[in-house]
């Protein structure tokens, strides 16, 4: 007669628990760790320069001093998750620009995004009132494209980058692959241009005259103030323009991004954001007067720190996604096999004598 080994039962239970735990870590814990954290609160620093229209010189028709000198500026951009509902998150991007005179300007936008792939989420009016905190309700906006980060393992093509000034999704053109601070990156380029649609930005020009005399445009041409890509079309069409011309406001945004190939995080961003007064010429809005030109890039120290954090996260993710589940599953399987092989043991001799007399 044989008896079940107590140790075999223990090995079997432990083996099954290890295999089950490996599956839970790989298929439940790891995906939850790669989601946008509900408590996200991070920031990044940028450095650059700025030149802008001098209002006093414009009012005095002083074309020599119309544009201020290029001066250094800094910016700090923070990302905060305000609320979550399942895989939907409300994220606020707050950029604080420190101007040469020490004053600051804030640019705040809140979005609804998917916590897994960061794609835009459209909220109904009812859901917006329910999910978006009152403190950011006035900065919330629907959007298209990538608002703050590419998804993990981003595609090379087909990505749209959201431009908050024109409120449009702009194609992110893949340029090439590369490395940055030891990390594999995808390099993209975005050339966004269009009429300014942001109410916050338009509010800055509320006191600007709604029309410009043609003579002013002719003076801007003669002083080489009009952007170079617009001079030819204005020179060819100036005579046919009315004496007084309705104006609009336009923006161009040239962005270069080095995006981490694994996590999708923009590691290094170079941006030239220009805003203009525009006039319609043959159905096209043509820039005639620069309002501001901001050149920004991610601070070098920020690039190094982000690369270090991403490398640590990559190591941790590899341990949790591959090595730990593999070790646990193999150990558990070995314990199950061992338990099955040693499931029963022979009865001792006293037991055999007792059974022989029964």
């Amino acid at each position: 007669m044989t008896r079940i080994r107590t140790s075999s039962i223990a090995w079997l239970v432990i083996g099954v628990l290890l295999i089950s735990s490996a599956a839970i870590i790989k298929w439940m814990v790891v995906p939850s760790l790669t989601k946008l954290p509900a408590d996200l609160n991070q920031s990044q620093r940028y450095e650059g320069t700025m030149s802008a229209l001098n209002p006093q010189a414009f009012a005095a028709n002083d074309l020599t001093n119309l544009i201020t000198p290029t001066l250094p500026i800094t910016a700090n951009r923070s990302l905060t998750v305000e609320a979550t509902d399942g895989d939907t998150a409300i994220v606020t991007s707050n950029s604080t620009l420190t101007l040469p005179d020490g004053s600051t300007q804030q640019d705040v936008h809140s979005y609804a995004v998917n916590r897994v792939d960061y794609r835009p989420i459209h909220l109904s009016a009812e859901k917006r009132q329910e999910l978006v905190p009152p403190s950011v309700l006035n900065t919330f906006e629907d959007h298209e494209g990538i608002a703050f980060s590419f998804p993990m393992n981003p595609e090379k093509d087909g990505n749209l980058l959201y431009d908050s000034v024109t409120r449009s999704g702009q194609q992110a053109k893949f340029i090439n692959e590369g490395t940055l601070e030891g990390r594999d990156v995808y390099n993209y380029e975005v050339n966004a241009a269009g009429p300014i649609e942001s109410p916050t930005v338009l509010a800055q020009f509320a006191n600007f005259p709604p029309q410009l005399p043609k003579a002013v445009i002719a003076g801007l041409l003669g002083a080489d103030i009009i952007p170079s890509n617009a001079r030819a079309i204005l020179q060819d069409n100036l005579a046919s323009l009315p004496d007084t011309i309705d104006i609009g406001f336009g923006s161009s945004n040239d962005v270069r991004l080095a995006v981490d190939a694994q996590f999708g995080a923009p590691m290094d961003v170079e941006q030239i954001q220009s805003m203009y007064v525009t006039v319609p010429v043959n159905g096209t809005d043509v820039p005639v007067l620069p309002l501001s030109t901001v050149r920004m890039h991610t601070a070098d120290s920020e690039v190094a720190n982000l690369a270090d954090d991403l490398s640590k996260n990559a190591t941790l993710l590899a341990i949790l996604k591959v090595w730990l589940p593999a070790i646990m599953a193999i150990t558990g399987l070995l314990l199950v096999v061992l338990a099955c092989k040693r499931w029963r043991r022979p009865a001792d001799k006293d037991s055999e004598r007792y059974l022989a007399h029964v």
Side-chain angles (χ1 to χ4, degrees):
M1 180 179 178
T2 60
R3 293 189 298 174
I4 297 175
R5 297 176 187 268
T6 303
S7 60
S8 295
I9 295 175
W11 291 340
L12 178 63
V13 171
I14 295 172
V16 171
L17 287 175
L18 284 172
I19 294 172
S20 301
S21 298
I24 291 172
I25 291 173
K26 184 174 181 62
W27 303 113
M28 296 181 65
V29 174
V30 171
S32 68
L33 291 176
T34 57
K35 286 184 181 181
L36 186 69
D39 59 351
L40 177 73
N41 188 351
Q42 64 182 33
S43 62
Q44 198 165 40
R45 186 172 180 271
Y46 298 83
E47 300 171 344
T49 61
M50 178 180 183
S51 61
L53 178 71
N54 183 336
Q56 291 76 24
F58 178 74
N61 198 29
D62 180 5
L63 299 183
T64 303
N65 299 301
L66 192 60
I67 306 299
T68 64
T70 299
L71 296 173
I73 58 172
T74 60
N76 188 76
R77 183 193 184 199
S78 65
L79 286 174
T80 306
V81 171
E82 306 286 351
T84 59
D85 180 23
D87 283 342
T88 300
I90 305 301
V91 182
T92 294
S93 170
N94 187 340
S95 297
T96 301
L97 187 69
T98 302
L99 301 175
D101 62 2
S103 63
T104 59
Q105 290 181 355
Q106 281 195 316
D107 186 29
V108 184
H109 304 270
S110 298
Y111 313 103
V113 301
N114 184 281
R115 294 176 64 193
V116 178
D117 59 12
Y118 309 150
R119 60 183 169 82
I121 298 293
H122 175 72
L123 300 180
S124 64
E126 180 181 358
K127 192 66 176 178
R128 182 181 298 191
Q129 290 293 330
E130 174 188 333
L131 183 58
V132 181
S135 59
V136 298
L137 195 57
N138 64 333
T139 61
F140 182 83
E141 60 192 77
D142 286 324
H143 71 290
E144 57 178 346
I146 296 164
F148 57 89
S149 176
F150 287 65
M152 289 191 67
N153 304 306
E155 298 290 337
K156 293 180 179 179
D157 299 308
N159 298 297
L160 293 180
L161 191 71
Y162 182 63
D163 179 48
S164 61
V165 176
T166 59
R167 290 199 166 188
S168 61
Q170 301 287 342
Q171 188 69 39
K173 179 183 177 183
F174 176 77
I175 303 301
N176 55 31
E177 299 182 31
T179 59
L180 183 62
E181 296 288 342
R183 300 288 302 171
D184 291 334
V185 296
Y186 293 160
N187 294 306
Y188 297 91
E189 179 181 279
V190 180
N191 300 113
I196 297 175
E197 298 291 346
S198 168
T200 303
V201 176
L202 288 174
Q204 300 175 21
F205 314 130
N207 296 325
F208 208 89
Q211 296 176 320
L212 282 180
K214 181 167 65 174
V216 170
I217 297 176
L220 294 173
L221 267 173
D224 281 340
I225 292 174
I226 287 179
S228 57
N229 60 339
R231 290 173 191 163
I233 189 171
L234 283 169
Q235 288 169 344
D236 293 342
N237 292 275
L238 186 63
S240 62
L241 294 178
D243 291 337
T244 304
I245 309 167
D246 293 333
I247 67 166
F249 299 98
S251 167
S252 69
N253 192 12
D254 295 328
V255 187
R256 308 290 183 272
L257 305 101
V259 175
D260 188 81
Q262 180 181 4
F263 290 101
M267 292 183 60
D268 191 17
V269 179
E270 296 183 8
Q271 179 179 15
I272 303 175
Q273 175 89 56
S274 299
M275 299 184 195
Y276 306 95
V277 171
T278 63
V279 296
V281 179
N282 298 330
T284 301
D285 291 333
V286 178
V288 295
L289 178 62
L291 294 170
S292 67
T293 299
V294 175
R295 299 173 181 267
M296 300 294 295
H297 63 88
T298 309
D300 293 341
S301 59
E302 295 287 324
V303 177
N305 291 338
L306 180 57
D308 185 55
D309 289 342
L310 292 176
S311 295
K312 291 177 181 177
N313 291 341
T315 300
L316 178 61
L317 189 61
I319 292 172
L320 292 175
K321 187 176 182 180
V322 179
W323 297 109
L324 183 59
I327 292 171
M328 293 175 68
I330 292 171
T331 303
L333 184 60
L334 290 175
L335 289 175
V336 169
V337 171
L338 182 61
C340 291
K341 284 187 175 183
R342 297 175 54 84
W343 186 249
R344 293 182 180 275
R345 66 180 179 183
D348 56 30
K349 291 183 178 180
D350 290 339
S351 298
E352 290 178 356
R353 293 192 192 99
Y354 171 79
L355 291 172
H357 287 86
V358 173

